[in-house]
Amino acid sequence: MPAQALTLDEAIAAAMTHAPQIAAARADSDAAAAHLREAQAGSLPTATVTGSIGWGRLDPKNFFGLGAADVTPRAAQVTIEQPLYAGGRVSAGIAQARAGNDAARAGEAATRSEMTAAVAQAYGDVLTSRRLVALHQDLVAQMREIERQARLRYKAGESPSTDTSQATARLAEAQAALAQAQGLAVSADARFANLTGLSPDGLAPLPANPALPASLDDALEAARQRNPWLAQAQAGLRAAQAAARGARAERLPTVGAFAEGAMVRDQFFPDYRADSATVGVRARWQLFNAGTSARVAGSDGAVRAAQARLDAAEDQVKEQVIAAFQGVRTAELVEAASARQSEAAGQARTSVAHEVRVGMKPQLDLLNAEREATAAATALARAQTDRIVAAYRLLSLVGQ
């Protein structure tokens, strides 16, 4: 391995800064935070300035002894208003926006969890595919040598043509498997580079599993507290409930305090001047709107739907955590068994090779031993990847 081999943790960190999915999720979270600030602004005062200016001629028809004159009518007004009571509209809007912000943040966390598991899969696939290429290259070399020896023995009259045919068939089989492994390696390299923006060359071996929940109960409790998909469903319910409160608030009045200052020039007769200042309270109450009842009914339906989605998410997350927790245990057992199988198959291959060399066993036994040893080593490489991927999938479900 290179002196500075790329580790899985480094690959995951690179993906977090490179993958466009992460950038999109972060942007969605920023947008939701901006919507929350916008909703919170509904309880703050507003200041409005309006003005107008025109040019014309005003003729009062000698009213008050005023004759026609060119005028420049203009007016300006400044209004400051502070909401005092909105029937719950503002607080409902803030609660809905806050739930949307929570959902966006949970969505970003979910995207990061998915990306972590995807990088672990891609990292393991690169190592596995390159291991398979090496194994099948070695198998092709072994089969080519066995075929050569079989041809020599056949020419010398020491073995039948069947041995040569069997060796040739197994060589072709090994070459086909090598081509397939090389194709998988190209795909695995492309996937890894797409996710991380890094070259797949010089990867460190797969690490041990990260820290995982000690028991299934611990995993389920962690998922209830931190699972991002469950958090999204919970935020969706809160948003629907807030929207329902906002719909009902439309039936209530709004009250606000205001202060206004205005000036008017040349409006009614030449040289007309007027200034005003007003402080007071405004109220508005819409007594009837046929659409309000429909909005309330619709929002109640949305609450029921959000509750149903939350219930479904809780059941699904529980099922996934149970499967993932068992998947980790199964993957660890499979890896251990595959390691024992690979070691035993390698030893058997060596023994059979010696026995075939001295004529104690037929050549077919060596061909089978070579195939079994390669298959066992291939299974071990895949089991190692399955083990690390299962661990990161469990982590993504428990929100770590």
Side-chain angles (χ1 to χ4, degrees), residues 169-203:
R170 292 296 179 87
L171 174 59
E173 179 184 75
Q175 289 170 332
L178 174 60
Q180 184 179 29
Q182 289 170 333
L184 292 175
V186 171
S187 299
D189 288 356
R191 175 63 173 164
F192 180 83
N194 178 49
L195 289 175
T196 65
L198 301 175
S199 170
D201 296 326
L203 301 187

Side-chain angles (χ1 to χ4, degrees), residues 7-9 123 127 204-210 335 384 387-388 391-392:
T7 66
L8 176 55
D9 287 341
Y123 190 98
L127 293 177
L206 286 173
N209 282 349
E335 181 185 17
Q384 290 169 338
R387 184 259 306 164
I388 196 69
Y392 276 98

Side-chain angles (χ1 to χ4, degrees), residues 107-131:
E108 182 180 356
T111 302
R112 289 179 179 276
S113 295
E114 290 175 341
M115 183 58 59
T116 298
V119 172
Q121 179 75 67
Y123 190 98
D125 286 345
V126 169
L127 293 177
T128 298
S129 63
R130 297 194 175 191
R131 176 61 177 155

Side-chain angles (χ1 to χ4, degrees), residues 140-209:
V140 167
Q142 294 293 337
M143 292 302 174
R144 186 174 286 118
E145 176 61 21
I146 292 173
E147 183 194 38
R148 188 183 72 83
Q149 294 291 339
R151 291 185 183 278
L152 291 175
R153 288 194 301 271
Y154 173 70
K155 289 179 180 180
E158 298 175 358
S159 65
S161 62
T162 304
D163 287 356
T164 302
S165 299
Q166 288 173 338
T168 300
R170 292 296 179 87
L171 174 59
E173 179 184 75
Q175 289 170 332
L178 174 60
Q180 184 179 29
Q182 289 170 333
L184 292 175
V186 171
S187 299
D189 288 356
R191 175 63 173 164
F192 180 83
N194 178 49
L195 289 175
T196 65
L198 301 175
S199 170
D201 296 326
L203 301 187
L206 286 173
N209 282 349

